[in-house]
Structure formats: C-alpha cells, structure tokens
Amino acid sequence: MTQPEQNRIDPDLPFAVTRRDPLGIFLTGCNRKARALGLRPTMRLTDARASVPELVTRTANPEAERQLLQEMARFGERYAPWIAIDDSDPAQGDGGLWLDMSGGTHLFGGEKALMTDVGRSYQVFRCTRRLGLADTPAAAFAAARYAPGAGIPSLLQSGATRQAVAGFPLDALRLVPATIRVLNRLGFRQIGDLYPVPRASMTIRFGPDVMLRLDQILGRHREHLAFEHSPRIYEVGHVWPEPLGTADSIERAVQVLLWRLCQTLRGNGIGLRRLGLRFQRVNNMTVSLISATSAPCQDETHLMRLLRDRLPGVDAGFGIEAIQIRAFQTQRLCPEQGSLTDLPDDATDPDACHRLIDRLAGRLGTHSVYRFARCQSYLPERIPVRQPYPGVSPEKSDSKELPAAVPLPVPRPIRLIQPAEDIEVLSFDADKPRQVRWRRLVLQAASVQGPERLMREWWRDFHLSPWDHRSGRRDYYRFDDHQGHSLWLCRVSGKQTASRWFVQGWFEGPPP
Amino acid sequence: MPDTLRRLDYARRLLTDIERSRHTTGNRAGWIIPLAIPAIDSCISMGGINAPALHEIHGRIGNGVATGFALWLARQALTHRNGSVFWISAPHVADSDTLYLPALDGELQDRLTLIEVRHRRDILWAFEEVLNSGQAAAVIAETTEINLTTARRLQLASEQGHCLAIALCRSGADVKPANSVARTRWRGTSCREGWLLELVGGRGVRPGAWKVQHNATTFSLHLVSPTGDGPLSERYDAA
C-alpha cells in the first residue's frame, strides 16, 4: 500500500487492521509478523492485545480497500481483460483478484513465467501477494491461500485438480465457518475426505452449499464471477496546426469529428445519450457545449442537426486550435426491425419521434417538452403534473408509467387560470353570485351551478398561516352569463378571514 | 340563363374535384373530418375539415369553445392516422389561462404531448418543426395572429408531415381576423345552448354561424334546433 512516509508502518512490528461491529472490535488483516506471533483475523482486539502488547492497529477503511482493489484490477488488465474482484469475506481482511487467463498464458511465456511476472509487477502495490493458478476459479482461490509453502506461487497442474486440492483444508471451500466447524467435528479435515461421501446425504445434512462448492472447485459446476470492466471512453479530438476562425470551418471540423465518433459507436453497437464538445482557443481558454438525446443515437446527421443551432454560440475568439468530442453518456443500442408492412406510416417510427423530441428539447430546453401526469389532490391546480417526455432527461427513470386517467365526477373547466384572479361579486342570489365584476366587465348570471366544496389535504401546507387564502375551504360555482362567459368561480373562506372570490378557469360552454 | 347556371354549377363541381385531387400529396391521400352536420359540411367545398391543411380557430377570453373545438378536431384526426397530438403553448400568448388537462378524456390525455415555448419567435419554429416531422396526427398551437407568409409555410409543412395543423388564435370579440390562407377559419364563442361556431373565412367556404352542442360522451356534435328544443338526434335517440 502506498502511504505517506509518516503513516508508514515498520514491517518488523506486528500490525493489524481492526473492524468494529456490534459485538466488539475484531482484527481483520494481520501482517506477517503478527501472524507469526499467533494473531489471526476474526480475533478480538482485546485478546490480541493481551498476547501481543506492542501490536499496532489501524481502523479498517472498506471504501479505500475497495478502491485499491479496483486499482489493482485495472493494473491487471495488462494480463487479461477478464478480471474479477473477490471481496466476499471482508472479515478475513484480505482481498483477491481473479484473472481469467484461459488461452492466454503462452503470451507471457507459459504459466510459470506468467506467475513470476504477475508477482513481480504487483510489487508496486506493496502488499503481501499470494498467487495460485488452477483450472477453476475456486481451485485457484484455494491454491493461492491454502497451498503448502506460504508465499510461493502455487501452480496446480491442469487436469489434476482433484488430486491437488484433496489435501487442502476445508476452509479452502469458502463455506460458512459454522458448517466447517461441524464438518471438522464429524471428522472431515481435508477436501479429499468429502470425495467418497454420497451427495444425497451431504445435501440433506448441510444443504446444497457444500456440494456446490465442491463442484465448483472440481470444475463440475461453473462459477460466475463479477468481472470488472472499466467503462470505455468514446472520444475523438483533433488539433489543427492553423487555428479555425470562421463558423463554417468549425462546423465542418465538428462534422468530421462527429462522423469519426459515430463510426466507432456503430462498430461497438453503442448509442450516444449525452455529448460534450470542448473547443480550445489559441489563448488557452476553452468553450464547451453539451447536448443530449432522448434515445441512444449513432446518427451523425441527427447529432449535427442538434448542434447546428448551438454552434454559432461558440465564441471562437482569435481562433480555435483543438476540438474534442466526448460521449459523456452512452447506452447499448439494439437494432430494431422496421415495420414489415409497406404502409408509409412515419408515426410508428420511434426513432423519428425521438429525433423530433431531441430537436425541440435542444432548442427550447429539456423541461419544455412534457406529458401530462396526475397528482392525487383535491385542489384543481395541483392535479396536473408535468412529466418529462420519456427519455428527455437522462437522469430520470424512463420506465415510469403514467397513472391511468380517472374520469372526474363533475366536469372540469377546459382552461385554468394560474394563479387565480380576483373577482368582485356585486350582488348575491341566495348565497350564489348574481352579478360579478371581472376585468372591468359587469356580468349578469344566466345560470349558476354549485357549490362544490373542495379543501386542501390536511397533511399538506403546514407552513400556511390561517390567513392565507390557500388554506381556506373553497366553494366552486359554475357561472354562465348571456354574453358567452362561462366561468369557474371560487369562494375561499378561511376561519378568521372574510371570504374572497376568484376566477379559476372557464368552461367550454354552458352546462347541458 | 339556365344554361349559364348549369355551366357555373359544372365549373364549381370541377373546381371541387380539382381541389380534392390536388389535395392528395404523393401517394398518401388526405382525409376529411366531417362535422357530421349537413348544414355546416355543405358550406365547405371539401365537405368537412380537410387535412393535411392549416385551419384557424379564433377564441375569446371567458369561454373555452375554441379550445374545445380544436381538441375535438384533434381527436377526430386521431381516428384517421396514428401519431400523437402536440399542443404548443407559450405563457405570454394566452392570457394567464392554460389548457387544463384533467378536463380532457383519457385517450387524448395519453396521446397529448405538450410543448411550452418561452419566446414568441419559437412558437412558429416549434409548430413548423412538429408539422414537418410527420410524427403528429394533429398539432395545435396557441398563437397570436399569423400572417400570410407564415400561414403558407405552415400549410406546406402540414402537407409535408401529413397532419392536421390548427392555429388557436386569441382575439377580441369584435376584432375581425386578418386575412390568411388557412383552409378554414372559425370563431368559437359560447351561447346559451352550447357552442356558437362561426365559419368566418377560408377557401371554398360559405360563411355562416351555427349553434352546436358537443356531446362529451360520444364526442359528436349536434346542431341545436332553432326552436330551442334541443338537438333533434337526441330526441330521436330517446324515442
């Protein structure tokens, strides 16, 4: 582990990493000196201190450990593209890496030479290393940890795994400690002891785990490893010897680079969701542009069309000498079969629809294209919720379903005024408005329907004071006059305030 | 004299036929949305609201007849081709009122995509863009008055995208809408019996005004009888 000088621990001192859990503080990893003094992982710190008072300890940092393992995995990509991290047992305090070298050892001069090379090159991480090579991942795990002769790279001959692992202790099977304890008590000490036992009786007594692990180590059952894949970065760039100054030349340059990027994407079956452009000016200033698409896209014509509106906004200054285009967000793209019928129906082409949405969202902003969703509320202005068009904002989940539309018990106005407008009621007819003044017009009621009482939900808007008109109860009336006004009036009456009248919308026409 | 009349009649019919055939762009036939009211349909040479074409509906503050009529047309367009309905609005064009979505029926709610435009100049851009894309069955845009050039562009775009274009204009009660090349131009106001639809202009139309009732369950329009007895068909249905 590369540590600053002052934090470095003398390897001659017994050292352990500790982990705190509800039962106390335990050791997780010990160095060679500590092991030689009899300390083991999973030991209590108090016990360890009692036997080795000079023990140096540090608290475990799982985050950093994981990071280091990932760094090591990336480092190992020089040997094989298939690398998996083994951190299945953090209590043991040691991490592992699996390299799948199938068919690749000859590139490094054979298995033995490969192991020497791996051992040497991982020295830079300043960790104790143990190497094992075998036919199956589980056997390699066992070979690295339990092969006789600590520290020597152990190589199990291909095809001879059964004999090679027979002498390993049961711990090499990666079983639960309790199971191992019981098995030990029953007289099973080595993996080879399990070979003659009938599968059925073992499964009945211990569940499927023991036989599964045995199968995995012997290669009878395939083990699935979570291979680490460093995300591939799709990026193109170019530096021009002569700075680009005109809008035309910049556009041409972007076009060429986009084409190159899309070629790569097409070759890999990847679609682009978010694109970043970086223009570097001659005076070392940079200008950047970000553009997003609502569906994975590999089409440079479409991307160019999205960018064409924005490129004039790039200030070239004294000239642009380098352009970098990078795919910030990508997505796997499955080619879809087009319609088999020969009807020229553009509307069923989802690509065309996404392209349209991209263009609209690109120019008007991502929040300006939306669909209708319903919020459960009694207050009319709260019901409609804007839902971003599926795929417009890459951060939002795309799979959210729109709730089904529920027919309203009473007709609602087709247009809503937001915020509601004040209206003056001039005269009443049995608690219903008869004459109102709205926008300097005096309207005489032809028919008034209502009231319909709606209230805010009691669990909302605690912050509203009782004097706020939004907190009161509302009575809605449908008000029609002879001049063709069809208003939705609302009286808000609070507990401590006089009632106020509002117009909140208008209907298509008078009630039938 | 009768001969002249006959020739005039023949010329009219010929003109209608030409208009109808011109209307099929490429191999895709246009469609016609009849209002299913003979009195109104007979006033339009095409026999209904035709698409792809631009139509104008003028509305007034205080009632939503124009909005309702535009949505009714969009709903009918959905039966003729698939695609969605786009609603383009700008906060400053409308007063302070917006389309209230819970008032719409479920199918329209599902197929409606809303576009809110912040700047006035973007309304027509978005309108043309959506029309051109061919993804919409109908596009409704809340705009102010549109001039001749714009209307012509929108007309071409709607033919390109093969969809119904509706410009929903907000105008005062007594303002006569300026000239435009929209195929039909309507003014929607409310009357005591229901909608008052005025056909104020267009190509090959005879202007008129009708009182119409909209049935929100069957999505059909009925003419209100002048005697005030309510729609005839309803009485027949009841009988």
Side-chain angles (χ1 to χ4, degrees):
Chain A
M1 225 171 276
T2 44
Q3 285 169 326
E5 284 301 322
Q6 66 271 23
N7 274 350
R8 200 161 282 174
I9 290 142
D10 186 359
D12 292 333
L13 286 176
F15 168 71
V17 180
T18 58
R19 164 181 67 91
R20 180 188 289 273
D21 80 2
L23 296 175
I25 302 173
F26 295 87
L27 304 191
T28 61
C30 316
N31 71 350
R32 211 169 294 165
K33 178 85 178 168
R35 275 177 196 268
L37 290 169
L39 302 186
R40 291 281 172 271
T42 70
M43 221 176 182
R44 274 180 189 279
L45 176 63
T46 43
D47 297 342
R49 276 227 187 282
S51 62
V52 185
E54 70 271 26
L55 180 68
V56 183
T57 58
R58 290 276 187 280
T59 319
N61 183 353
E63 196 81 350
E65 279 170 25
R66 174 88 201 166
Q67 234 168 33
L68 179 72
L69 272 175
Q70 267 167 352
E71 208 174 303
M72 287 171 131
R74 275 200 293 281
F75 183 79
E77 276 175 0
R78 64 186 62 189
Y79 297 108
W82 298 97
I83 300 178
I85 290 178
D86 167 37
D87 54 356
S88 46
D89 193 4
Q92 289 294 329
D94 51 9
L97 293 176
W98 269 301
L99 271 83
D100 188 351
M101 290 304 300
S102 312
T105 47
H106 65 280
L107 298 172
F108 304 94
E111 295 180 345
K112 225 172 219 125
L114 167 75
M115 286 174 72
T116 327
D117 191 36
V118 171
R120 206 177 34 234
S121 63
Y122 269 96
Q123 245 166 10
V124 293
F125 289 99
R126 301 165 62 90
C127 295
T128 315
R129 304 167 299 282
R130 300 167 62 107
L131 298 169
L133 188 85
D135 284 356
T136 60
F141 176 93
R145 283 157 214 251
Y146 299 97
I152 305 159
S154 69
L155 176 65
L156 306 190
Q157 281 306 317
S158 178
T161 314
R162 194 179 164 88
Q163 296 83 20
V165 298
F168 288 177
L170 287 182
D171 301 292
L173 280 181
R174 286 179 291 159
L175 288 167
V176 190
T179 315
I180 293 174
R181 263 201 307 280
V182 176
L183 280 167
N184 282 338
R185 211 184 307 139
L186 292 176
F188 299 103
R189 300 272 162 204
Q190 298 175 342
I191 293 177
D193 297 344
L194 295 173
Y195 291 167
V197 183
R199 172 175 289 265
S201 47
M202 197 52 109
T203 309
I204 290 167
R205 179 67 180 81
F206 294 102
D209 246 22
V210 178
M211 291 321 273
L212 176 76
R213 290 299 190 191
L214 194 63
D215 286 347
Q216 280 177 344
I217 206 167
L218 297 179
R220 290 191 296 228
H221 196 282
R222 195 178 156 73
E223 184 166 357
H224 294 280
L225 302 175
F227 289 109
E228 289 279 316
H229 282 294
S230 54
R232 169 135 190 226
I233 293 165
Y234 295 93
E235 192 175 39
V236 290
H238 200 272
V239 183
W240 279 270
E242 201 60 37
L244 309 173
T246 62
D248 265 1
S249 56
I250 293 170
E251 195 178 310
R252 285 289 294 279
V254 169
Q255 203 162 3
V256 171
L257 289 176
L258 263 185
W259 179 79
R260 266 171 52 194
L261 181 71
C262 287
Q263 272 309 79
T264 326
L265 292 174
R266 274 194 287 269
N268 290 292
I270 297 283
L272 192 110
R273 287 298 302 273
R274 192 180 273 257
L275 177 79
L277 284 88
R278 238 170 80 102
F279 300 90
Q280 194 173 345
R281 288 198 227 147
V282 274
N283 55 356
N284 261 345
M285 301 282 278
T286 52
V287 189
S288 45
L289 263 187
I290 289 183
S291 184
T293 60
S294 58
C297 168
Q298 306 175 324
D299 181 11
E300 64 265 12
T301 337
H302 174 54
L303 292 173
M304 199 58 221
R305 197 164 167 193
L306 289 182
L307 288 174
R308 195 161 286 144
D309 288 342
R310 322 243 331 251
L311 280 180
V314 174
D315 179 15
F318 293 111
I320 284 169
E321 57 178 7
I323 301 181
Q324 249 184 338
I325 302 185
R326 185 170 183 171
F328 280 139
Q329 199 177 4
T330 53
Q331 204 174 327
R332 195 152 281 284
L333 184 67
C334 310
E336 279 176 20
Q337 172 160 11
S339 168
L340 283 175
T341 57
D342 49 356
L343 283 173
D345 198 354
D346 302 337
T348 47
D349 178 12
D351 259 9
C353 192
H354 283 302
R355 280 200 288 272
L356 168 69
I357 300 296
D358 287 346
R359 286 199 298 276
L360 292 170
R363 172 148 173 181
L364 308 172
T366 42
H367 295 288
S368 33
V369 184
Y370 59 98
R371 314 192 80 170
F372 166 68
R374 185 179 281 277
C375 165
Q376 285 198 336
S377 175
Y378 293 114
L379 298 192
E381 70 269 20
R382 270 204 188 129
I383 295 173
V385 181
R386 285 171 174 217
Q387 179 152 32
Y389 198 86
V392 165
S393 324
E395 303 84 25
K396 300 253 168 65
S397 74
D398 292 355
S399 56
K400 208 167 147 198
E401 281 290 310
L402 294 170
V406 189
L408 292 163
V410 271
R412 286 283 177 251
I414 197 156
R415 299 198 71 103
L416 195 80
I417 306 183
Q418 184 74 348
E421 254 172 59
D422 273 305
I423 192 170
E424 191 184 343
V425 179
L426 301 174
S427 64
F428 288 94
D429 176 15
D431 217 23
K432 289 180 179 178
R434 192 173 63 196
Q435 199 181 30
V436 298
R437 186 185 289 145
W438 176 58
R439 295 191 178 176
R440 290 178 297 169
L441 288 174
V442 176
L443 309 178
Q444 290 285 346
S447 82
V448 180
Q449 286 187 355
E452 180 194 357
R453 176 159 291 183
L454 298 174
M455 283 179 80
R456 77 174 169 91
E457 295 81 8
W458 60 265
W459 59 91
R460 282 209 181 130
D461 292 340
F462 281 121
H463 61 280
L464 290 184
S465 67
W467 289 275
D468 195 309
H469 71 270
R470 281 170 296 176
S471 66
R473 56 170 190 270
R474 305 182 182 185
D475 294 316
Y476 282 94
Y477 294 88
R478 188 170 172 165
F479 179 95
D480 293 275
D481 77 340
H482 294 290
Q483 275 101 49
H485 293 96
S486 199
L487 304 177
W488 205 35
L489 301 187
C490 159
R491 180 180 54 201
V492 181
S493 32
K495 273 179 191 147
Q496 288 141 39
T497 49
S499 54
R500 288 169 69 186
W501 286 83
F502 296 94
V503 178
Q504 213 177 2
W506 42 76
F507 290 88
E508 276 180 48
Chain B
M1 239 341 109
D3 189 42
T4 321
L5 274 181
R6 207 166 43 246
R7 280 169 62 193
L8 198 61
D9 206 37
Y10 173 72
R12 277 211 188 99
R13 247 182 309 144
L14 207 64
L15 189 67
T16 315
D17 284 350
I18 291 168
E19 267 182 354
R20 275 182 213 247
S21 63
R22 187 218 162 280
H23 203 59
T24 52
T25 47
N27 53 357
R28 293 192 293 184
W31 70 85
I32 288 165
I33 301 167
L35 276 79
I37 299 171
I40 304 180
D41 288 341
S42 66
C43 286
I44 309 169
S45 66
M46 304 290 287
I49 307 270
N50 65 317
L54 172 72
H55 300 273
E56 263 181 48
I57 302 171
H58 293 262
R60 273 179 62 192
I61 287 175
N63 67 67
V65 174
T67 307
F69 187 45
L71 286 169
W72 182 82
L73 285 175
R75 184 162 226 306
Q76 300 299 313
L78 281 178
T79 61
H80 285 89
R81 66 159 283 181
N82 49 11
S84 40
V85 176
F86 283 79
W87 181 281
I88 302 166
S89 64
H92 61 271
V93 169
D95 201 76
S96 54
D97 56 317
T98 51
L99 180 66
Y100 188 53
L101 289 149
L104 310 186
D105 64 286
E107 198 201 332
L108 210 51
Q109 280 179 8
D110 289 346
R111 304 207 27 198
L112 200 65
T113 303
L114 298 118
I115 301 167
E116 197 181 275
V117 173
R118 255 175 262 135
H119 201 275
R120 184 186 292 268
R121 65 166 183 254
D122 284 336
I123 302 174
L124 293 170
W125 174 82
F127 199 1
E128 200 179 355
E129 195 74 27
V130 178
L131 284 174
N132 262 325
S133 74
Q135 292 306 301
V139 188
I140 305 171
E142 292 186 62
T143 70
T144 45
E145 296 276 333
I146 43 181
N147 62 26
L148 281 170
T149 321
T150 325
R152 215 177 286 279
R153 279 188 72 148
L154 293 173
Q155 172 71 33
L156 288 173
S158 80
E159 278 173 21
Q160 165 82 24
H162 203 63
C163 63
L164 180 67
I166 302 169
L168 196 60
C169 305
R170 175 65 55 83
S171 57
D174 43 352
V175 178
K176 192 173 176 295
N179 278 334
S180 117
V181 292
R183 201 51 78 89
T184 56
R185 298 162 69 211
W186 301 83
R187 187 187 291 142
T189 41
S190 143
C191 61
R192 202 164 31 136
E193 292 86 2
W195 296 0
L196 180 66
L197 290 181
E198 286 173 77
L199 184 56
V200 289
R203 275 200 280 158
V205 299
R206 203 158 353 123
W210 301 272
K211 287 180 178 175
V212 166
Q213 258 187 1
H214 174 231
N215 187 331
T217 330
T218 59
F219 308 113
S220 54
L221 298 180
H222 310 279
L223 203 59
V224 177
S225 73
T227 50
D229 290 339
L232 276 174
S233 59
E234 246 175 44
R235 286 202 295 162
Y236 281 124
D237 289 346

